[in-house]
Amino acid sequence: MERRTFVKTALSASAALSVPLTGRAAQASISKAEPFKLKYAPHLGMFKHSAGEDPIDQIKFMADQGFRAFEDNSLSSRDVALQEKIGKTLADLNMEMGVFVGNWNVRRGDGLAKGDPEIRKAFVEELAASVDVAKRVNATWMTIVLGNRHHRLEPDYQTANIVETLKQASAVLEPHGLVMVLEPLNHLHNHPDVFLSKVPHGYLICKAVNSPSCKILFDMYHQQITEGNITQNIDMAYEEVGYFQIGDVPGRKEPTTGEMNYRHLFKHIHDKGYTGILGMEHGNFYPDKDGEARLIQAYREVDSFE
């Protein structure tokens, strides 16, 4: 579809959402859409202009638009009562819970590559505490960021330190059927000193840990920047990929706003038999309520593969 045609279509869709209503009243004015082929997972705030500020109303709006999953990086920091309410809402709507971040303190600390016993102990304890969070929302996956590399320690020693830590963490998660997904982050634009930046390195680590509770979070935004060749990397690493995330380049906004051919990528992932979740970890390219309608229309466009 040409950009001019897409914009015209998106504007028509946004007009359908321009009735000045809020919350569930706004949703009631829109007939429920057909479910998307793949399980794209929006996050809170993505549709606040259409659904209102209430988190539960936002999740209900997502379901009405055909989204079958939801993710929330900040879930661990939310009140227990809200976590339980989110879990009940997802169950009532037959939606799946995507990732939440399972290691808040370590994520902001020295990371795991150094092999510090105290950091390792804190990391495993935090993951153990995340088990209860996961149960409240029926989650399977939690994002793990390994932290920064250390310039005075050989990279292979750092990898070995991380493997040992993740083996201990996997032993905590395996009895509960939970999976930590390791996220390679781009070191060229957003995270210049990060230790894990490439999918092949994540693949090596997961192979060494050798646990169903340790997999890769394949964020296609980061990998387009770091190494490109997304389709082949999906194929090479697929048996260790537990979760995908989405974001176009440049800008980290919804598909069709950048250089990536997400219609091709989604078809490729679908054809491989992937039945998991694809987290929408990106911003909205266009502002306000009209922008939210354009975002939904963009996903309809890239989800239209045969």
Side-chain angles (χ1 to χ4, degrees):
M1 179 183 290
E2 294 184 356
R3 175 63 56 181
R4 185 179 304 169
T5 304
F6 166 68
V7 171
K8 183 178 179 181
T9 303
L11 285 171
S12 297
S14 68
L17 295 179
S18 62
V19 179
L21 299 173
T22 59
R24 289 297 286 169
Q27 298 173 47
S29 67
I30 308 165
S31 57
K32 291 185 178 181
E34 288 294 317
F36 288 96
K37 291 186 180 75
L38 296 178
K39 296 174 185 174
Y40 310 114
H43 54 79
L44 293 180
M46 184 165 275
F47 301 117
K48 65 181 180 181
H49 297 289
S50 299
E53 295 288 345
D54 182 76
I56 302 305
D57 281 346
Q58 291 184 37
I59 294 171
K60 290 177 179 177
F61 179 85
M62 296 169 194
D64 286 348
Q65 301 311 306
F67 293 105
R68 298 187 285 147
F70 163 75
E71 69 175 24
D72 183 12
N73 282 344
S74 302
L75 182 70
S76 293
S77 64
R78 303 194 190 280
D79 292 341
V80 170
L82 180 55
Q83 293 174 10
E84 292 174 343
K85 198 170 183 180
I86 289 172
K88 183 180 185 305
T89 301
L90 294 174
D92 290 345
L93 296 171
N94 197 29
M95 294 178 71
E96 294 186 36
M97 181 69 204
V99 293
F100 66 94
V101 175
N103 60 327
W104 284 96
N105 292 332
V106 173
R107 186 171 187 244
R108 294 193 292 267
D110 290 334
L112 303 175
K114 190 176 181 181
D116 186 305
E118 290 302 314
I119 292 178
R120 175 176 292 159
K121 180 174 180 289
F123 173 79
V124 174
E125 288 176 351
E126 287 184 26
L127 279 192
S130 297
V131 170
D132 288 337
V133 178
K135 288 181 178 179
R136 292 182 193 118
V137 296
N138 195 30
T140 298
W141 305 275
M142 56 185 75
T143 304
I144 300 302
V145 177
L146 300 179
N148 290 342
R149 55 195 168 97
H150 292 268
H151 297 282
R152 296 187 179 182
L153 186 62
E154 285 288 338
D156 289 346
Y157 290 127
Q158 296 182 58
T159 296
N161 288 335
I162 284 171
V163 168
E164 176 57 33
T165 299
L166 296 180
K167 283 183 176 180
Q168 294 183 27
S170 294
V172 172
L173 298 180
E174 282 182 20
H176 304 281
L178 300 177
V179 182
M180 54 183 169
V181 283
L182 318 179
E183 183 173 15
L185 305 170
N186 81 78
H187 63 283
L188 300 174
H189 183 61
N190 298 103
H191 306 277
D193 212 30
V194 70
F195 177 74
L196 182 62
S197 63
K198 293 186 177 183
V199 165
H201 194 188
Y203 181 83
L204 182 153
I205 290 171
C206 288
K207 282 293 185 185
V209 175
N210 191 30
S211 168
S213 288
C214 183
K215 297 296 178 182
I216 298 168
L217 193 170
F218 198 121
D219 188 318
M220 292 179 277
Y221 162 78
H222 286 298
Q223 295 314 306
Q224 175 71 359
I225 293 172
T226 301
E227 52 197 322
N229 202 20
I230 301 295
T231 304
Q232 187 174 28
N233 271 319
I234 289 173
D235 289 343
M236 295 292 289
Y238 188 72
E239 64 182 332
E240 296 297 336
V241 173
Y243 197 94
F244 287 96
Q245 283 185 328
I246 303 159
D248 214 337
V249 177
R252 200 171 190 172
K253 300 298 191 289
E254 67 265 24
T256 76
T257 60
E259 67 190 22
M260 298 176 69
N261 186 352
Y262 267 108
R263 190 170 186 270
H264 165 76
L265 291 171
F266 291 157
K267 183 179 187 303
H268 186 72
I269 290 169
H270 176 269
D271 289 350
K272 291 188 75 68
Y274 181 75
T275 59
I277 294 173
L278 298 96
M280 296 161 58
E281 196 181 43
H282 57 73
N284 296 18
F285 188 85
Y286 300 100
D288 304 328
K289 192 172 181 179
D290 285 350
E292 293 170 2
R294 292 185 181 202
L295 185 151
I296 294 168
Q297 178 61 28
Y299 272 91
R300 287 293 171 193
E301 178 184 341
V302 294
D303 189 65
S304 63
F305 56 82
E306 295 297 334

